Amino acid sequence: MNEAATPLQRLFRILVTVGPGALWLFLFVLLPTFLVLLASFMSRGPYGELSGPLGFHNYLRLLEAPYLKAFAQSLLLGALTTLLAALLGYPLAFYLAGHPRRDLLLLLLLLPFFTNFLIRVYAWLVLLQREGLVNAFLQAFGLGPLGLYPSFLAVLLASLYTFLPFFVLPVYASVERIDWQLLEAAYDLGARPFRAFLHAVLPQTYPGLFAGSVLVFIPAMGTFVVADLLGAGRVVLIGNLVQQQFGVTRDWAFGAALSVFLMAFVLLSLYLYARLQGERGLEDLV
């Protein structure tokens, strides 16, 4: 039998196994986050550099009307994208799970990810512009041309197209694990189809619904490339403000405050999701 490891040997094993990952997290997650948090309390120097004094003035600027409007637009975009993704993606997940060639359909669902993100966004720009394919189709029925680009609608459509697979896949994973005997039991007890679905099937897909909603809402709210290209300055989201502060404006302190605010909102969303999943388990929802 091997002798018990000494404290020094146990420490060495911990450093070898956990050390590289912990070092990576410290250098590329914790340290940058701390530096951004520190910068958010600083001020903008004469040439855009970070300088004193320290204070909460950058966070107080978040209460000004332009920034509140950008945050409201970001929330609206995230909420509408999530709602439309649920309306389209929920039945699509059931269709994929029940289709005999679901592997092929899943591949088609993921196929756009093999194309560069910017190319996909530019494709929407080509489709929605005044001389684009969508307006040409509408003109054939005497409905166009419409001002689809640049607009909030264009940003919404591109966001929905981009993030829809992030909703479908978690719901699909939940549908795959559904116990259909509960549905049969509901029918045996006299439940009508809608009521049986509502009480026997829908609760079993709550984990996928919650996960899909978080995966769509957070990136849709924080996106800036889609709003930059398809909004053309008319749609300003909080992600665009962060980009402007670190780019053209060169106000890194205020940009850091915007970033910290966005990170705090994301962490709050993840915390609420964890609480909902932890405290209201599947047994409580059925």
Side-chain angles (χ1 to χ4, degrees), residues 35-42 55 57-59 252-254 256-257 260:
L35 293 177
V36 170
L37 180 62
L38 178 63
S40 69
F41 294 102
M42 301 180 74
H57 48 280
N58 292 315
Y59 292 98
W252 290 12
F254 184 56
V260 171

Side-chain angles (χ1 to χ4, degrees), residues 132-157:
L133 186 61
V134 175
N135 268 319
F137 177 77
L138 293 175
Q139 280 183 301
F141 295 93
L143 300 175
L146 301 178
L148 301 175
Y149 163 80
S151 67
F152 182 84
L153 177 62
V155 177
L156 176 61
L157 289 175

